[in-house]
Amino acid sequence: MPVPDLFAEGLARGWKTYDGSRLEDDLTLEADVAIVGTGAGGGTTAEILSAAGLKVLLIEEGPLKTSRDFKLQEPEAYASLYQEGIGRMSKDGAITILQGRAVGGTTLVNWTSSFRTPAQTLEHWAREHAVQGHGEAEMAPWFAKMEERLGVAPWALPPNPNNDVLRAGCEKLGLHWKVIPRNVRGCWNLGYCGMGCPTNAKQSMLVTTIPATLERGGELLYLARAERLLLDGEQVSGLECLAMDARCVAPTGRRIRVRARHYVLAGGGINTPALLLRSAAPDPHDRVGKRTFLHPVNFSAAQFDTPINPFYGAPQSIYSDHFQWDDGVAGRMSYKLEVPPLHPALAATLLGRFGEENALRMAELPRTNVMLALLRDGFHPDSPGGSVELRSDGTPVLDYPMTPYAWDGIRRAFHSMAEIQFAAGAKAVLPVHADAGYVRSLAEARALIDSLSLELYRTRLGSAHVMGGCAMGEDPRQAVVDSLGRHHQLENLSIHDGSLFPTSIGANPQLSVYAFSAKLASALAERLKA
């Protein structure tokens, strides 16, 4: 039975959308609320506001791609569904940053891992960053609401062999591990979540909140880059957008002017600060774009005698928080351990080397596992995060220095991952570093890891989680918005995305963005209706 294309059916019923690449003239649009970004924050906010009877306009820089477009092909998916065609990197080019750029945002291409914000993180925000009203008990009903809305539950099937390495190694060593909750319904267990779900099983914004918004009369503008907010004293009076070509590479020359009662920014931890910077929005304490966090990630590969086939099955289903809080909240940099899927293009880049040596490593892909460590940054004075800046053409870039404090966490994570992989039966382990090769014993791995010069470019680093840059909090000297997401200086501007977080959260952030956005959007709906 063919999978229905929800958007094709909706458009046939009269959903109202605008394709920026097809505009022949400039355009003016009006709404009660204009929302920039269609990912976890924007989609959640749109559904709640439209259900409250407000006319919502969703604005997305990327294209509209739906189930019929998802062919599970890396070259096509990465170029069309990711920021900068999967080429987004830190300013120095040392850290690859994976973010979605299409209707549905990163929820369209993430690996479905859904964690509540750890209680330790919420307590730290209240204590150190003047965040009010978002403690564990206060957030619990909002997490429950969004878990029910999006089908979030621990993955019920056995883990694929790739994830089972983490389970088996932890069990052998007596380390804590658990099953990852995933936001799926009727998942086919294909393993290609990072290229868009062709079966509509992943409960992304594309198949949940955005259709609900359009069904209630909301509108969607895509292939339109939000260029700048128009300011009039303490009010936002309008928003200027640039129409983009069909590949979302260059502006077409057409412009879209948006007028609304209220504006919500939900473009994420790089694009939201960038829009404020381009707009010269009031920033009396120089907080916009500062303390932006990534969860820096390093990797460890392992070869096994038995098939792993890391490209099949639920991409992430097992995790370990054993090391996450091992030195308290503000001690040494700690980390969460997970497993990424390995499709050929991603694997060839990650495993490194060139020519024959790369080919030999790729020949072992069916028997290769890779583990990753998400480093929890922002809780210690030596973990200040990075800063969003504007290039000469106004596009954003994240300057993200790595400190000795962070490198210490990277080295300890290499040790933890190698020990777990050998405990799970690996015949050889490779810390993913330019100077490392496969070693065949834990003793060799320990000696190798201790000898590595941990530095940019030689250590393979990445991240798919961008947080901070527009921190929330009651003290305007520290924060861009208050604890309800309201801009401290602009009366009709709110922020509902991961840029709100004063630190990283220490877990995959999508469920945190859903829950915080649901809470903030519900309060915003009450204010606007009043």
Side-chain angles (χ1 to χ4, degrees):
M1 181 176 176
V3 175
D5 187 316
L6 301 180
F7 262 83
E9 296 175 357
L11 290 170
R13 289 199 303 276
W15 287 0
K16 197 155 188 180
T17 64
Y18 306 89
D19 179 346
S21 70
R22 295 177 176 269
L23 294 180
E24 296 181 357
D25 299 295
D26 292 350
L27 181 66
T28 297
L29 297 173
E30 296 187 358
D32 292 321
V33 184
I35 301 174
V36 178
T38 60
T44 300
T45 297
E47 180 177 38
I48 289 170
L49 295 183
S50 61
L54 296 160
K55 182 182 178 184
V56 171
L57 172 66
L58 278 160
I59 301 161
E60 170 59 49
E61 178 183 5
L64 172 61
K65 301 287 186 180
T66 65
S67 54
R68 68 175 63 178
D69 300 306
F70 303 141
K71 308 298 184 185
L72 313 184
Q73 296 296 312
E74 287 179 277
E76 180 181 329
Y78 296 157
S80 62
L81 303 179
Y82 285 78
Q83 288 286 349
E84 301 178 39
I86 214 169
R88 175 162 279 184
M89 307 186 83
S90 56
K91 184 178 180 179
D92 52 24
I95 306 175
T96 300
I97 302 171
L98 303 183
Q99 287 183 290
R101 186 205 58 192
V103 175
T106 302
T107 74
L108 192 69
V109 294
N110 68 24
W111 299 334
T112 74
S113 300
S114 302
F115 296 94
R116 294 189 177 193
T117 314
Q120 297 95 321
T121 301
L122 296 174
E123 292 164 6
H124 181 81
W125 292 352
R127 184 174 61 253
E128 301 294 335
H129 296 279
V131 174
Q132 295 181 0
H134 300 310
E136 183 178 18
E138 292 155 306
M139 288 304 301
W142 298 99
F143 283 119
K145 172 186 174 75
M146 296 311 297
E147 287 163 348
E148 181 179 3
R149 173 69 179 97
L150 301 174
V152 173
W155 182 233
L157 295 179
N160 64 5
N162 195 32
N163 281 267
D164 204 47
V165 169
L166 179 54
R167 180 206 62 79
C170 284
E171 285 214 338
K172 185 80 175 288
L173 297 170
L175 307 179
H176 166 82
W177 66 272
K178 286 188 74 174
V179 174
I180 293 178
R182 306 182 63 221
N183 61 317
V184 295
R185 286 192 169 99
C187 178
W188 291 22
N189 207 22
L190 298 176
Y192 286 73
C193 304
M195 297 168 220
C197 181
T199 69
N200 289 333
K202 184 197 296 190
Q203 299 297 284
S204 71
M205 302 297 92
L206 178 73
V207 300
T208 55
T209 62
I210 295 174
T213 299
L214 296 174
E215 199 68 31
R216 295 190 182 102
E219 299 181 358
L220 169 66
L221 167 66
Y222 59 93
L223 287 170
R225 176 178 293 163
E227 183 66 8
R228 68 187 183 102
L229 299 164
L230 305 176
L231 307 179
D232 182 7
E234 297 179 349
Q235 295 277 329
V236 178
S237 60
L239 171 68
E240 283 191 352
C241 302
L242 304 180
M244 303 298 291
D245 63 21
R247 294 172 58 229
C248 198
V249 172
T252 66
R254 302 278 76 81
R255 291 180 176 269
I256 305 103
R257 174 71 65 89
V258 176
R259 297 194 185 99
R261 287 173 55 198
H262 199 91
Y263 299 81
V264 176
L265 305 188
I270 292 177
N271 289 349
T272 289
L275 177 55
L276 292 174
L277 291 171
R278 283 196 300 270
S279 307
D283 184 19
H285 304 288
D286 192 28
R287 303 316 302 154
V288 172
K290 303 301 192 295
R291 289 186 59 83
T292 303
F293 298 100
L294 276 181
H295 284 158
V297 168
N298 64 320
F299 307 89
S300 181
Q303 292 180 350
F304 288 78
D305 289 322
T306 55
I308 298 294
N309 292 331
F311 29 77
Y312 290 140
Q316 290 189 317
S317 55
I318 301 293
Y319 75 97
S320 174
D321 265 348
H322 186 89
F323 304 96
Q324 182 68 283
W325 310 98
D326 63 354
D327 193 31
V329 174
R332 63 186 183 180
M333 183 171 273
S334 297
Y335 42 87
K336 186 183 201 78
L337 298 180
E338 296 177 342
V339 171
L342 290 180
H343 300 98
L346 183 63
T349 303
L350 192 59
L351 295 177
R353 301 295 170 92
F354 302 95
E356 183 177 357
E357 189 166 3
N358 182 261
L360 290 171
R361 289 184 177 184
M362 288 300 293
E364 288 295 314
L365 182 59
R367 290 172 292 280
T368 299
N369 153 267
V370 166
M371 204 167 289
L372 61 79
L374 296 174
L375 276 80
R376 177 173 59 82
D377 49 350
F379 293 78
H380 188 278
D382 293 335
S383 182
S387 300
V388 175
E389 303 173 358
L390 297 179
R391 301 184 181 97
S392 59
D393 64 353
T395 59
V397 63
L398 176 61
D399 184 17
Y400 205 85
M402 290 287 289
T403 64
Y405 172 82
W407 287 121
D408 175 69
I410 294 282
R411 195 181 303 275
R412 285 184 288 104
F414 272 139
H415 278 292
S416 298
M417 291 187 286
E419 187 173 4
I420 291 169
Q421 288 167 321
F422 275 119
K427 66 178 183 179
V429 166
L430 168 72
V432 180
H433 185 286
D435 300 330
Y438 277 101
V439 292
R440 295 190 170 272
S441 72
L442 181 56
E444 287 181 277
R446 286 173 172 158
L448 172 61
I449 292 166
D450 284 339
S451 73
L452 291 174
S453 176
L454 299 185
E455 55 189 280
L456 296 177
Y457 312 114
R458 308 203 72 72
T459 312
R460 182 81 60 182
L461 299 174
S463 185
H465 306 156
V466 186
M467 298 148 287
C470 290
M472 61 180 169
E474 296 306 301
D475 184 353
R477 295 169 299 178
Q478 282 187 283
V480 175
V481 298
D482 68 10
S483 301
L484 290 176
R486 301 175 296 191
H487 195 277
H488 276 302
Q489 286 80 36
L490 296 170
E491 294 175 354
N492 62 335
L493 180 67
S494 298
I495 297 177
H496 294 181
D497 61 19
S499 71
L500 291 170
F501 301 154
T503 66
S504 74
I505 68 166
N508 309 58
Q510 74 160 337
L511 182 55
S512 294
V513 179
Y514 291 139
F516 273 89
S517 298
K519 184 177 182 182
L520 302 186
S522 297
L524 175 60
E526 291 299 320
R527 294 197 304 272
L528 291 177
K529 285 193 297 182

